[in-house]
Amino acid sequence: MTLEGEYEPSPEQWVRDQVAEYEASNGARMNTLPDHPEWPVVVITSRGAKSGKLRKNPVMRVEKDGVYAAVASKGGAPEHPTWYHNFVAHPEVDLQDRAEKHTYSVRLAEGAEREEWWERAVAVYSPYAEYQQNTDRQIPVFLLERKD
Ligand code: F42
């Protein structure tokens, strides 16, 4: 089962384009950060906290034993990405990793578990460490566990 509803593409063109290309190719193209083959991405569909519409956002692929982390870094911006609020309001999302798409339950990692996943995330994508230095907020780390 995947989420159902009206899809509202991101207002950010590079995000919109990456999602469109990723989905159109079933995850075969645009499956890394552009020009960075060493940094794979997954695409997460969430339900808008206010609109109820489906929103799609690529994030870096951080995975262990079938569990994924979604790091709400927004490039070190002072505020959380809006999808943070979607995840909190509707803690069920779809995640596409290349050709595989499934539904996941979402929770915020805390304490030692967050530390463990934060280190894993930085090991995958080192710029996260700089993003954390550039913002006063603690960057949230969501854990996604497969439901279907
Ligand atoms: N962002 C990350 O935070 N972490 C990553 O690891 C990451 C990797 C990544 C890789 C490739 C790529 O193309 C993008 C990547 N991004 C990453 C960017 C990410 O996909 C998001 O673009 C970014 O985190 C900013 O998310 P945002 O939701 O803040 O984006 C804004 C511009 C946006 O989409 N705004 C929408 C709008 O219409 O203005 C709102 C979307 C929305 O969900 N609205 C909710 C609703 O109800 O519909 C309401 C939300 C609320 O405030 O309650």
Side-chain angles (χ1 to χ4, degrees):
M1 274 283 286
T2 52
L3 299 188
E4 289 182 9
E6 184 188 343
Y7 169 42
E8 181 71 31
S10 171
E12 298 273 6
Q13 185 161 1
W14 66 290
V15 170
R16 211 164 57 226
D17 291 350
Q18 176 143 33
V19 169
E21 192 67 6
Y22 197 107
E23 290 193 326
S25 65
N26 208 20
R29 289 196 305 272
M30 288 296 277
N31 55 24
T32 69
L33 209 61
D35 302 322
H36 284 283
E38 73 279 23
W39 283 332
V41 305
V42 296
V43 172
I44 299 179
T45 303
S46 63
R47 188 174 299 285
K50 296 174 187 155
S51 68
K53 293 180 180 173
L54 302 187
R55 305 287 190 171
K56 299 186 183 189
N57 292 99
V59 295
M60 307 316 297
R61 183 185 186 279
V62 180
E63 183 270 350
K64 182 172 185 267
D65 297 335
V67 178
Y68 291 82
V71 178
S73 56
K74 200 181 176 184
E79 72 287 343
H80 295 328
T82 57
W83 56 261
Y84 167 91
H85 304 286
N86 301 346
F87 280 31
V88 170
H90 301 291
E92 187 177 285
V93 301
D94 292 333
L95 179 146
Q96 183 169 353
D97 183 1
R98 293 190 172 234
E100 289 266 325
K101 186 174 181 182
H102 300 285
T103 302
Y104 291 78
S105 61
V106 175
R107 64 188 172 88
L108 265 177
E110 286 173 25
E113 192 180 36
R114 182 193 174 278
E115 290 308 311
E116 181 193 326
W117 279 93
W118 175 255
E119 284 172 22
R120 188 168 289 130
V122 171
V124 168
Y125 184 63
S126 55
Y128 281 143
E130 289 161 41
Y131 297 167
Q132 182 59 84
Q133 282 174 0
N134 291 341
T135 179
D136 290 336
R137 67 189 172 97
Q138 187 186 57
I139 292 178
V141 178
F142 289 98
L143 297 183
L144 279 61
E145 286 156 322
R146 192 167 155 181
K147 288 190 79 172
D148 62 351

